[in-house]
């Protein structure tokens, strides 16, 4: 199947974030098994598959069925590899892979939405176009952003905007939404946000609805819950010595990854005031570096989506 020309253009336009760093630290070798939990447009996949050099297995996962044409094109290009696309939420698929005895050599999670999802205004991820409030990565999932905005209590909305958007005016915005609902389109939501916040706040630090949209997207797709479940499942699906790379795009995600890697390195779960270890737990992994890797100024200039990216890599013990 040929990729429709609009998709071909987008696939070429898509720039994988921190690509050289991922490639260097995952250090994929011919014959290995790679699990790419966030296949998207296959940007990282092309680089990692090239390192397999015609021998090995590439298991792609994505919850968004619209990645299929990108995968078909990838499969044609790397025909000598064993390739599979598993559609679903990555934490569940990783658990299934581990249960089925798959021993991966390298696992990649490149979190968040893809440029391809953002580029389709009808998916409702962007505040820049007036479309129905949707934001589902998997459009067969039940919960949409409109459901949350119109049905969640003001208290729950406040909590979502605070926790997932770190929004200073969370309570005021939730109250304004409560007063104006039903809100069905992105511009109706943007107007409610603008009406709720003080005038000076409308002009600083990017678009005034940026944090509210981010928060709703995280909640609709349970992004943090999925990440929390995926990290132990990924470790389970790796062979000893296998590498795990995670690219995050905001502090909430990075905190989860950092804590997981720090706890995994420590192994011991005894309370800090115990004089000796009684749990006997061994370290589960070794973090490749204490600090996350950040994109270079050049990468950010070429690909602004990389601005907030952080890469953490660990090796399974
Ligand atoms: C940032 S993009 C990946 C881009 C890809 N690395 C590339 O270079 O083309 C993230 C992708 O992961 C998918 N995704 C996000 N969270 C997911 C989850 N919990 N389970 C499965 N797929 C997920 C999204 O649908 C999206 O296609």
């Amino acid at each position: 199947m040929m990729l429709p020309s609009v998709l071909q253009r987008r696939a070429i336009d898509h720039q994988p974030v921190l690509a050289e760093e991922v490639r260097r630290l995952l250090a994929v070798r011919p014959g290995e098994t790679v699990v790419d939990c966030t296949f998207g447009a296959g940007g990282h996949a092309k680089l990692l598959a090239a390192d397999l050099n015609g021998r090995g297995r590439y298991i792609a996962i994505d919850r968004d069925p619209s990645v299929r044409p990108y995968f078909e094109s990838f499969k044609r290009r790397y025909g000598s590899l064993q390739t599979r696309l598993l559609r679903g939420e990555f934490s569940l698929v990783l658990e299934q892979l581990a249960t089925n005895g798959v021993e991966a050599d390298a696992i990649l999670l490149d979190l968040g939405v893809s440029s391809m999802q953002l580029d389709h205004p009808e998916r409702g991820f962007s505040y820049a176009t007036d479309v129905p409030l949707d934001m589902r990565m998997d459009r067969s999932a039940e919960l949409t952003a409109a459901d949350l905005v119109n049905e969640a209590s003001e208290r729950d909305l406040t909590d979502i905007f605070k926790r997932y958007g770190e929004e200073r005016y969370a309570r005021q915005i939730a109250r304004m939404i409560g007063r104006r609902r039903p809100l069905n389109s992105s511009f109706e939501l943007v107007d409610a946000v603008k009406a709720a916040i003080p005038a000076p706040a409308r002009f600083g630090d990017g678009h005034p609805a940026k944090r509210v949209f981010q928060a709703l997207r995280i909640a609709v797709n349970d992004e943090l819950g999925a990440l929390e479940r995926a990290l132990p499942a990924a470790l389970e699906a790796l062979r000893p010595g296998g590498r795990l790379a995670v690219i995050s795009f905001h502090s909430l995600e990075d905190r989860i990854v950092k804590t997981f890697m720090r706890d995994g390195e420590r192994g011991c779960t005894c309370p800090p005031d115990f004089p000796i270890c009684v749990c006997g737990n061994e370290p589960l992994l070794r973090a490749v570096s204490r600090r996350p890797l950040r994109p270079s100024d050049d990468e950010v200039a070429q690909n602004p989506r990389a601005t907030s990216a952080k890469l953490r890599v660990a090796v399974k013990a």
Side-chain angles (χ1 to χ4, degrees):
M1 182 181 59
M2 274 299 287
L3 210 57
S5 60
V6 62
L7 289 186
Q8 276 178 3
R9 202 185 61 240
R10 293 221 168 93
I12 292 163
D13 287 344
H14 184 88
Q15 296 179 52
V17 168
L18 287 161
E20 272 318 310
E21 290 81 355
V22 166
R23 192 173 190 178
R24 179 164 53 81
L25 293 171
L26 279 184
V28 168
R29 291 181 289 270
E32 290 194 328
T33 294
V34 179
V35 178
D36 179 346
C37 297
T38 47
F39 182 78
H44 287 101
K46 284 179 204 139
L47 298 169
L48 299 175
D51 291 341
L52 287 173
N53 201 14
R55 264 192 323 113
R57 196 156 48 141
Y58 204 95
I59 302 175
I61 304 172
D62 207 294
R63 64 176 13 173
D64 184 348
S66 69
V67 307
R68 169 68 63 184
Y70 298 100
F71 177 75
E72 294 301 334
S73 146
F74 170 77
K75 192 172 155 178
R76 268 197 309 280
R77 182 157 162 193
Y78 297 97
S80 58
L81 298 177
Q82 292 177 50
T83 52
R84 280 185 77 185
L85 174 63
L86 302 173
R87 203 203 125 197
E89 208 273 284
F90 51 51
S91 64
L92 298 175
V93 180
L94 283 167
E95 280 165 18
Q96 283 161 10
L97 291 176
T99 307
N100 291 330
V102 168
E103 292 223 305
D105 297 283
I107 298 186
L108 171 65
L109 288 107
D110 174 20
L111 301 170
V113 271
S114 65
S115 342
M116 157 190 105
Q117 288 161 332
L118 292 170
D119 283 351
H120 280 267
E122 77 283 2
R123 309 259 333 232
F125 288 109
S126 163
Y127 36 71
T129 322
D130 195 19
V131 289
L133 286 169
D134 188 327
M135 303 196 195
R136 289 168 300 170
M137 289 186 196
D138 169 2
R139 279 190 281 183
S140 67
E142 271 184 20
L143 185 75
T144 67
D147 294 334
L148 267 186
V149 163
N150 293 313
E151 288 164 30
S153 66
E154 286 179 27
R155 177 187 285 215
D156 285 350
L157 284 178
T158 303
D159 200 40
I160 288 171
F161 299 153
K162 251 194 215 152
R163 287 181 53 205
Y164 301 154
E166 294 171 358
E167 171 57 62
R168 193 168 155 204
Y169 300 104
R171 199 155 47 81
Q172 291 89 326
I173 294 170
R175 215 182 282 151
M176 182 62 72
I177 289 174
R179 218 180 296 156
R180 291 193 172 192
R181 15 195 204 198
L183 300 181
N184 291 310
S185 79
S186 39
F187 279 9
E188 283 173 9
L189 177 58
V190 168
D191 285 345
V193 172
K194 284 185 181 162
I197 62 181
R202 277 178 228 153
F203 302 104
D205 196 20
H207 193 284
K210 184 174 78 176
R211 286 175 294 278
V212 164
F213 272 66
Q214 170 185 298
L216 286 171
R217 194 201 81 207
I218 291 174
V220 165
N221 297 292
D222 184 23
E223 291 179 32
L224 302 183
L227 177 60
E228 268 166 358
R229 294 186 295 274
L231 294 172
L235 207 57
E236 194 65 33
L238 274 177
R239 68 158 172 83
R243 290 85 63 199
L244 169 66
V246 187
I247 304 174
S248 63
F249 289 89
H250 51 79
S251 54
L252 301 166
E253 287 173 343
D254 184 55
R255 206 172 301 147
I256 293 172
V257 182
K258 180 175 148 187
T259 306
F260 174 78
M261 291 190 178
R262 193 197 53 208
D263 292 352
E265 268 193 316
R266 198 182 312 127
C268 168
T269 52
C270 296
D273 55 344
F274 274 30
I276 55 161
C277 169
V278 292
C279 74
N281 292 338
E282 298 287 332
L284 301 171
L285 55 81
R286 178 178 56 78
V288 164
S289 66
R290 207 97 333 270
R291 291 181 177 280
L293 269 82
R294 305 294 310 266
S296 65
D297 293 345
D298 275 358
E299 176 170 4
V300 172
Q302 279 174 30
N303 182 11
R305 204 181 84 79
T307 307
S308 57
K310 288 183 180 167
L311 168 66
R312 292 186 186 269
V313 179
V315 179
K316 180 168 169 170

